[in-house]
Amino acid sequence: MIEAKSISKFFSVINEKGIAEGLTAVLNVSLTIPDGKIVSLLGPSGCGKSTFLEILAGLQAPTDGTIHIDGKLVLEPLPATRKEQIAYRRRYRFISPLANGVFQDRPKHDIAMIFQDYAVFPWMTAVQNVEFALKLRNAGRRGNGRLKRAELTEKAHFYLHKVGLSGFSNKYPSQLSGGMRQRLALARALSVEPKIILMDEPFAAVDALTREKLQDELLRLWAETASYGEHITIVLVTHEVQEAVYLSDEVIVFSPGPGTIRNSIPIEAKRPRARTDPALVEIQERIFAMFQYDINQEAEYSI
Ligand SMILES: Nc1ncnc2c1ncn2[C@@H]1O[C@H](COP(=O)(O)OP(=O)(O)OP(=O)(O)O)[C@@H](O)[C@H]1O
Ligand SMILES: [Mg+2]
């Protein structure tokens, strides 16, 4: 279970006049994501979705608030007051503040993240990309949990096959189409058999038809994960209303920046779902109406 309590993130930025300004990217976000669910974070560009997802992954420390995954703290907030700073320095004397998770019992390899610009390494072939993720996982394990060289390659091929890329294992990302690159990123995330996959706009760079196909593949792969225990949990960032409603058990709507939760909408329709299901369409319309209202409100304020 993922539990976020009052997460806020402030950045200080230099404005065009050269003066430092505060920017609130995420404001007081609290949510609970139960195991095995697909949850979408939906919101307009710049509302802090990526920032929040990175905080969930432990890649950025929040300014305030805590994230617990299965009861374990992900990354503690950075110190704010002078007193906190002194205590913090004393505790983490030898390492950078952002590495404070290293010495904590945090769930390191249970999470896989797919970034907004599908970060696959261009200098590695498809199979090498997947092997690399497995090698990283090996590095964090001792003894029996480690995969041998041959097992590693076998597993990499297994996951490439799962996402329909068996014929492309020796191709470099530049030789793949956008959709294939996206599948490669997915294979790499799945290969480490995580409990949670965090996806940042995974299908943004492909055309509408490919997008629908990838969505269905994602649902198929998610359904398959139930065969070795529980479903994995997927947290997906998107700004496509239809995508969020079609895929998710719950849609969390963010307000236009600073990112706070505007509404959270459970979607109970059974899977497999039809995209034209009137119940889903009704929810989509409700969300669109909400966005419309927000935009109008903003327009009123700016006059
Ligand atoms: N490292 C940073 N330093 C300063 N400001 C930042 C930093 N990272 C993000 N921001 C700001 O925080 C806000 C939220 O950014 P974020 O990338 O989380 O938005 P987003 O919802 O993912 O947008 P998009 O849908 O366009 O990807 C933006 O105003 C952005 O300029
Ligand atoms: Mg983003």
Short mmCIF file of all heavy atoms in Angstrom, two decimals, residues 95-139:
data_model
loop_
_atom_site.label_atom_id
_atom_site.label_comp_id
_atom_site.label_asym_id
_atom_site.label_seq_id
_atom_site.Cartn_x
_atom_site.Cartn_y
_atom_site.Cartn_z
N ILE A 95 27.05 11.56 4.06
CA ILE A 95 26.45 11.39 2.73
C ILE A 95 25.60 12.58 2.36
O ILE A 95 25.24 13.40 3.18
CB ILE A 95 25.57 10.12 2.67
CG1 ILE A 95 24.61 10.09 3.87
CG2 ILE A 95 26.39 8.87 2.60
CD1 ILE A 95 23.55 9.04 3.75
N SER A 96 25.28 12.64 1.08
CA SER A 96 24.45 13.74 0.61
C SER A 96 23.04 13.57 1.19
O SER A 96 22.58 12.45 1.37
CB SER A 96 24.41 13.71 -0.91
OG SER A 96 23.11 13.62 -1.37
N PRO A 97 22.33 14.68 1.45
CA PRO A 97 21.00 14.56 2.04
C PRO A 97 20.07 13.70 1.20
O PRO A 97 19.25 12.95 1.71
CB PRO A 97 20.49 16.00 2.07
CG PRO A 97 21.65 16.86 1.83
CD PRO A 97 22.74 16.06 1.24
N LEU A 98 20.24 13.78 -0.12
CA LEU A 98 19.33 13.03 -0.98
C LEU A 98 19.57 11.53 -0.93
O LEU A 98 18.75 10.74 -1.34
CB LEU A 98 19.44 13.52 -2.42
CG LEU A 98 18.70 14.82 -2.67
CD1 LEU A 98 18.92 15.29 -4.08
CD2 LEU A 98 17.21 14.65 -2.40
N ALA A 99 20.73 11.14 -0.40
CA ALA A 99 21.03 9.70 -0.32
C ALA A 99 20.62 9.13 1.02
O ALA A 99 20.99 8.01 1.36
CB ALA A 99 22.51 9.47 -0.57
N ASN A 100 19.83 9.89 1.77
CA ASN A 100 19.54 9.40 3.11
C ASN A 100 18.78 8.08 3.14
O ASN A 100 18.77 7.37 4.13
CB ASN A 100 18.86 10.47 3.98
CG ASN A 100 17.47 10.80 3.51
OD1 ASN A 100 16.86 10.04 2.77
ND2 ASN A 100 16.96 11.95 3.92
N GLY A 101 18.17 7.74 2.01
CA GLY A 101 17.45 6.47 1.94
C GLY A 101 18.38 5.26 1.96
O GLY A 101 17.96 4.15 2.26
N VAL A 102 19.64 5.48 1.66
CA VAL A 102 20.58 4.37 1.53
C VAL A 102 20.67 3.57 2.83
O VAL A 102 20.73 2.36 2.82
CB VAL A 102 21.98 4.90 1.15
CG1 VAL A 102 23.02 3.79 1.20
CG2 VAL A 102 21.94 5.51 -0.23
N PHE A 103 20.65 4.30 3.94
CA PHE A 103 20.81 3.60 5.20
C PHE A 103 19.49 3.23 5.85
O PHE A 103 19.44 2.74 6.94
CB PHE A 103 21.64 4.46 6.17
CG PHE A 103 23.04 4.60 5.69
CD1 PHE A 103 23.59 5.84 5.46
CD2 PHE A 103 23.79 3.47 5.42
CE1 PHE A 103 24.88 5.95 4.98
CE2 PHE A 103 25.08 3.57 4.94
CZ PHE A 103 25.63 4.82 4.71
N GLN A 104 18.42 3.51 5.14
CA GLN A 104 17.14 3.15 5.72
C GLN A 104 16.64 1.89 5.05
O GLN A 104 17.01 1.56 3.94
CB GLN A 104 16.13 4.27 5.49
CG GLN A 104 16.40 5.44 6.39
CD GLN A 104 15.56 6.62 5.97
OE1 GLN A 104 14.59 6.47 5.24
NE2 GLN A 104 15.96 7.77 6.41
N ASP A 105 15.72 1.26 5.74
CA ASP A 105 15.19 0.03 5.24
C ASP A 105 14.08 0.35 4.25
O ASP A 105 12.92 0.10 4.48
CB ASP A 105 14.64 -0.75 6.43
CG ASP A 105 14.15 -2.11 6.00
OD1 ASP A 105 14.60 -2.57 4.95
OD2 ASP A 105 13.33 -2.69 6.72
N ARG A 106 14.46 0.98 3.14
CA ARG A 106 13.36 1.35 2.26
C ARG A 106 13.24 0.36 1.09
O ARG A 106 14.20 -0.29 0.73
CB ARG A 106 13.47 2.80 1.82
CG ARG A 106 14.47 3.09 0.75
CD ARG A 106 14.34 4.56 0.42
NE ARG A 106 15.48 5.03 -0.33
CZ ARG A 106 15.41 5.30 -1.61
NH1 ARG A 106 14.31 5.12 -2.29
NH2 ARG A 106 16.47 5.74 -2.24
N PRO A 107 12.03 0.28 0.55
CA PRO A 107 11.77 -0.77 -0.43
C PRO A 107 12.41 -0.49 -1.78
O PRO A 107 11.76 -0.09 -2.72
CB PRO A 107 10.24 -0.76 -0.53
CG PRO A 107 9.84 0.61 -0.12
CD PRO A 107 10.87 1.13 0.80
N LYS A 108 13.73 -0.73 -1.88
CA LYS A 108 14.48 -0.24 -3.03
C LYS A 108 14.05 -0.82 -4.37
O LYS A 108 13.87 -0.12 -5.32
CB LYS A 108 15.96 -0.55 -2.83
CG LYS A 108 16.58 0.26 -1.74
CD LYS A 108 18.08 0.09 -1.76
CE LYS A 108 18.70 0.61 -0.51
NZ LYS A 108 18.35 -0.14 0.69
N HIS A 109 13.93 -2.13 -4.42
CA HIS A 109 13.73 -2.72 -5.74
C HIS A 109 12.31 -3.16 -5.98
O HIS A 109 12.04 -3.94 -6.87
CB HIS A 109 14.72 -3.85 -5.96
CG HIS A 109 16.12 -3.34 -5.97
ND1 HIS A 109 16.64 -2.68 -7.06
CD2 HIS A 109 17.06 -3.33 -5.02
CE1 HIS A 109 17.87 -2.29 -6.78
NE2 HIS A 109 18.14 -2.68 -5.55
N ASP A 110 11.41 -2.68 -5.16
CA ASP A 110 10.01 -3.05 -5.37
C ASP A 110 9.32 -2.07 -6.29
O ASP A 110 8.18 -2.24 -6.64
CB ASP A 110 9.27 -3.08 -4.03
CG ASP A 110 9.78 -4.22 -3.17
OD1 ASP A 110 10.47 -5.07 -3.75
OD2 ASP A 110 9.48 -4.25 -1.98
N ILE A 111 10.06 -1.02 -6.67
CA ILE A 111 9.44 0.01 -7.49
C ILE A 111 10.19 0.13 -8.81
O ILE A 111 11.41 0.13 -8.83
CB ILE A 111 9.54 1.39 -6.80
CG1 ILE A 111 8.99 1.30 -5.38
CG2 ILE A 111 8.80 2.44 -7.59
CD1 ILE A 111 9.17 2.57 -4.60
N ALA A 112 9.46 0.20 -9.92
CA ALA A 112 10.11 0.51 -11.19
C ALA A 112 9.46 1.77 -11.72
O ALA A 112 8.27 1.99 -11.53
CB ALA A 112 9.92 -0.63 -12.17
N MET A 113 10.24 2.61 -12.35
CA MET A 113 9.69 3.88 -12.85
C MET A 113 9.91 4.00 -14.34
O MET A 113 10.99 3.70 -14.84
CB MET A 113 10.39 5.02 -12.11
CG MET A 113 10.10 6.37 -12.64
SD MET A 113 9.24 7.37 -11.41
CE MET A 113 9.11 8.91 -12.29
N ILE A 114 8.90 4.43 -15.05
CA ILE A 114 9.06 4.74 -16.47
C ILE A 114 8.91 6.25 -16.61
O ILE A 114 7.87 6.80 -16.26
CB ILE A 114 8.01 4.00 -17.32
CG1 ILE A 114 8.17 2.48 -17.14
CG2 ILE A 114 8.14 4.38 -18.78
CD1 ILE A 114 7.18 1.65 -17.93
N PHE A 115 9.94 6.90 -17.11
CA PHE A 115 9.94 8.36 -17.14
C PHE A 115 9.17 8.91 -18.33
O PHE A 115 8.89 8.19 -19.29
CB PHE A 115 11.38 8.88 -17.16
CG PHE A 115 12.10 8.62 -15.87
CD1 PHE A 115 12.85 7.48 -15.70
CD2 PHE A 115 11.97 9.50 -14.82
CE1 PHE A 115 13.50 7.22 -14.50
CE2 PHE A 115 12.60 9.26 -13.61
CZ PHE A 115 13.36 8.12 -13.45
N GLN A 116 8.89 10.21 -18.23
CA GLN A 116 8.08 10.88 -19.24
C GLN A 116 8.65 10.71 -20.65
O GLN A 116 7.93 10.49 -21.59
CB GLN A 116 7.97 12.36 -18.86
CG GLN A 116 6.95 13.11 -19.67
CD GLN A 116 6.48 14.38 -18.98
OE1 GLN A 116 6.95 14.73 -17.91
NE2 GLN A 116 5.53 15.07 -19.57
N ASP A 117 9.97 10.80 -20.77
CA ASP A 117 10.56 10.67 -22.11
C ASP A 117 11.20 9.29 -22.29
O ASP A 117 12.32 9.17 -22.73
CB ASP A 117 11.60 11.78 -22.33
CG ASP A 117 12.41 12.01 -21.07
OD1 ASP A 117 12.29 11.19 -20.14
OD2 ASP A 117 13.15 13.00 -21.00
N TYR A 118 10.45 8.28 -21.89
CA TYR A 118 10.89 6.88 -21.88
C TYR A 118 12.40 6.68 -21.92
O TYR A 118 12.98 6.32 -22.94
CB TYR A 118 10.21 6.01 -22.93
CG TYR A 118 10.03 6.57 -24.32
CD1 TYR A 118 11.11 6.71 -25.18
CD2 TYR A 118 8.76 6.91 -24.77
CE1 TYR A 118 10.92 7.21 -26.45
CE2 TYR A 118 8.58 7.40 -26.03
CZ TYR A 118 9.65 7.55 -26.87
OH TYR A 118 9.47 8.04 -28.12
N ALA A 119 13.01 6.87 -20.78
CA ALA A 119 14.46 6.79 -20.70
C ALA A 119 14.98 5.37 -20.93
O ALA A 119 15.09 4.60 -20.00
CB ALA A 119 14.91 7.30 -19.34
N VAL A 120 15.22 5.05 -22.19
CA VAL A 120 15.98 3.83 -22.46
C VAL A 120 17.34 4.30 -22.96
O VAL A 120 17.46 5.39 -23.51
CB VAL A 120 15.29 2.92 -23.52
CG1 VAL A 120 14.07 2.26 -22.93
CG2 VAL A 120 14.92 3.70 -24.77
N PHE A 121 18.37 3.50 -22.73
CA PHE A 121 19.72 3.96 -23.10
C PHE A 121 19.97 3.75 -24.59
O PHE A 121 19.92 2.64 -25.08
CB PHE A 121 20.77 3.22 -22.28
CG PHE A 121 20.63 3.48 -20.81
CD1 PHE A 121 20.44 2.44 -19.91
CD2 PHE A 121 20.67 4.78 -20.32
CE1 PHE A 121 20.29 2.69 -18.57
CE2 PHE A 121 20.52 5.03 -18.97
CZ PHE A 121 20.33 3.98 -18.08
N PRO A 122 20.26 4.85 -25.32
CA PRO A 122 20.39 4.73 -26.77
C PRO A 122 21.60 3.91 -27.21
O PRO A 122 21.64 3.39 -28.31
CB PRO A 122 20.51 6.18 -27.24
CG PRO A 122 20.83 6.99 -26.04
CD PRO A 122 20.37 6.23 -24.84
N TRP A 123 22.60 3.80 -26.33
CA TRP A 123 23.81 3.08 -26.74
C TRP A 123 23.73 1.58 -26.42
O TRP A 123 24.66 0.83 -26.65
CB TRP A 123 25.05 3.70 -26.08
CG TRP A 123 25.02 3.61 -24.58
CD1 TRP A 123 25.51 2.59 -23.82
CD2 TRP A 123 24.47 4.56 -23.67
NE1 TRP A 123 25.29 2.84 -22.50
CE2 TRP A 123 24.66 4.05 -22.38
CE3 TRP A 123 23.83 5.79 -23.83
CZ2 TRP A 123 24.22 4.74 -21.24
CZ3 TRP A 123 23.41 6.47 -22.71
CH2 TRP A 123 23.61 5.96 -21.42
N MET A 124 22.61 1.15 -25.89
CA MET A 124 22.44 -0.28 -25.61
C MET A 124 21.34 -0.83 -26.51
O MET A 124 20.36 -0.13 -26.77
CB MET A 124 22.01 -0.49 -24.17
CG MET A 124 23.04 -0.14 -23.15
SD MET A 124 22.35 -0.54 -21.53
CE MET A 124 23.58 0.21 -20.49
N THR A 125 21.49 -2.09 -26.93
CA THR A 125 20.43 -2.71 -27.71
C THR A 125 19.25 -2.99 -26.77
O THR A 125 19.38 -2.86 -25.55
CB THR A 125 20.89 -4.05 -28.31
OG1 THR A 125 21.24 -4.92 -27.23
CG2 THR A 125 22.07 -3.87 -29.23
N ALA A 126 18.13 -3.42 -27.37
CA ALA A 126 16.92 -3.66 -26.57
C ALA A 126 17.22 -4.65 -25.43
O ALA A 126 16.92 -4.39 -24.27
CB ALA A 126 15.81 -4.18 -27.46
N VAL A 127 17.85 -5.77 -25.80
CA VAL A 127 18.08 -6.79 -24.78
C VAL A 127 19.08 -6.30 -23.72
O VAL A 127 18.92 -6.57 -22.53
CB VAL A 127 18.49 -8.15 -25.42
CG1 VAL A 127 19.87 -8.09 -26.02
CG2 VAL A 127 18.39 -9.28 -24.41
N GLN A 128 20.06 -5.51 -24.16
CA GLN A 128 21.02 -4.97 -23.18
C GLN A 128 20.35 -4.00 -22.21
O GLN A 128 20.69 -3.94 -21.04
CB GLN A 128 22.17 -4.26 -23.90
CG GLN A 128 23.15 -5.22 -24.53
CD GLN A 128 24.10 -4.53 -25.51
OE1 GLN A 128 23.91 -3.38 -25.88
NE2 GLN A 128 25.13 -5.25 -25.94
N ASN A 129 19.37 -3.25 -22.73
CA ASN A 129 18.63 -2.33 -21.86
C ASN A 129 17.93 -3.09 -20.73
O ASN A 129 17.96 -2.66 -19.58
CB ASN A 129 17.59 -1.57 -22.68
CG ASN A 129 18.05 -0.17 -23.03
OD1 ASN A 129 18.18 0.67 -22.15
ND2 ASN A 129 18.30 0.06 -24.31
N VAL A 130 17.31 -4.20 -21.08
CA VAL A 130 16.59 -4.98 -20.06
C VAL A 130 17.60 -5.65 -19.11
O VAL A 130 17.43 -5.64 -17.89
CB VAL A 130 15.66 -6.03 -20.70
CG1 VAL A 130 14.89 -6.78 -19.63
CG2 VAL A 130 14.69 -5.35 -21.66
N GLU A 131 18.67 -6.18 -19.71
CA GLU A 131 19.70 -6.82 -18.86
C GLU A 131 20.28 -5.84 -17.85
O GLU A 131 20.58 -6.20 -16.73
CB GLU A 131 20.84 -7.38 -19.73
CG GLU A 131 20.48 -8.67 -20.43
CD GLU A 131 21.57 -9.13 -21.38
OE1 GLU A 131 22.60 -8.41 -21.53
OE2 GLU A 131 21.42 -10.19 -21.98
N PHE A 132 20.40 -4.60 -18.31
CA PHE A 132 20.99 -3.58 -17.42
C PHE A 132 20.14 -3.41 -16.15
O PHE A 132 20.66 -3.35 -15.04
CB PHE A 132 21.12 -2.26 -18.16
CG PHE A 132 21.72 -1.17 -17.33
CD1 PHE A 132 23.08 -1.17 -17.05
CD2 PHE A 132 20.94 -0.16 -16.80
CE1 PHE A 132 23.65 -0.19 -16.26
CE2 PHE A 132 21.49 0.83 -16.00
CZ PHE A 132 22.85 0.81 -15.74
N ALA A 133 18.82 -3.38 -16.34
CA ALA A 133 17.92 -3.24 -15.18
C ALA A 133 18.10 -4.43 -14.24
O ALA A 133 18.13 -4.29 -13.02
CB ALA A 133 16.48 -3.15 -15.65
N LEU A 134 18.25 -5.62 -14.85
CA LEU A 134 18.40 -6.83 -14.02
C LEU A 134 19.75 -6.83 -13.30
O LEU A 134 19.84 -7.29 -12.16
CB LEU A 134 18.26 -8.07 -14.90
CG LEU A 134 16.84 -8.29 -15.44
CD1 LEU A 134 16.82 -9.34 -16.54
CD2 LEU A 134 15.92 -8.72 -14.31
N LYS A 135 20.78 -6.30 -13.98
CA LYS A 135 22.10 -6.23 -13.33
C LYS A 135 22.05 -5.29 -12.14
O LYS A 135 22.63 -5.56 -11.09
CB LYS A 135 23.15 -5.72 -14.32
CG LYS A 135 23.69 -6.80 -15.23
CD LYS A 135 24.78 -6.23 -16.11
CE LYS A 135 24.98 -7.09 -17.33
NZ LYS A 135 25.58 -6.37 -18.44
N LEU A 136 21.35 -4.18 -12.32
CA LEU A 136 21.21 -3.24 -11.20
C LEU A 136 20.52 -3.92 -10.02
O LEU A 136 20.89 -3.73 -8.87
CB LEU A 136 20.36 -2.03 -11.62
CG LEU A 136 21.03 -0.90 -12.33
CD1 LEU A 136 20.05 0.26 -12.47
CD2 LEU A 136 22.27 -0.43 -11.58
N ARG A 137 19.51 -4.71 -10.35
CA ARG A 137 18.81 -5.39 -9.26
C ARG A 137 19.73 -6.40 -8.59
O ARG A 137 19.75 -6.54 -7.38
CB ARG A 137 17.56 -6.10 -9.81
CG ARG A 137 16.69 -6.62 -8.67
CD ARG A 137 15.49 -7.34 -9.16
NE ARG A 137 15.86 -8.54 -9.89
CZ ARG A 137 15.07 -9.58 -10.01
NH1 ARG A 137 13.87 -9.56 -9.49
NH2 ARG A 137 15.45 -10.64 -10.68
N ASN A 138 20.53 -7.10 -9.41
CA ASN A 138 21.52 -8.05 -8.87
C ASN A 138 22.45 -7.37 -7.87
O ASN A 138 22.75 -7.91 -6.82
CB ASN A 138 22.39 -8.59 -10.00
CG ASN A 138 21.98 -10.00 -10.39
OD1 ASN A 138 21.10 -10.58 -9.76
ND2 ASN A 138 22.62 -10.53 -11.41
N ALA A 139 22.86 -6.13 -8.25
CA ALA A 139 23.83 -5.43 -7.41
C ALA A 139 23.28 -5.19 -6.01
O ALA A 139 24.03 -5.12 -5.04
CB ALA A 139 24.20 -4.11 -8.06
#
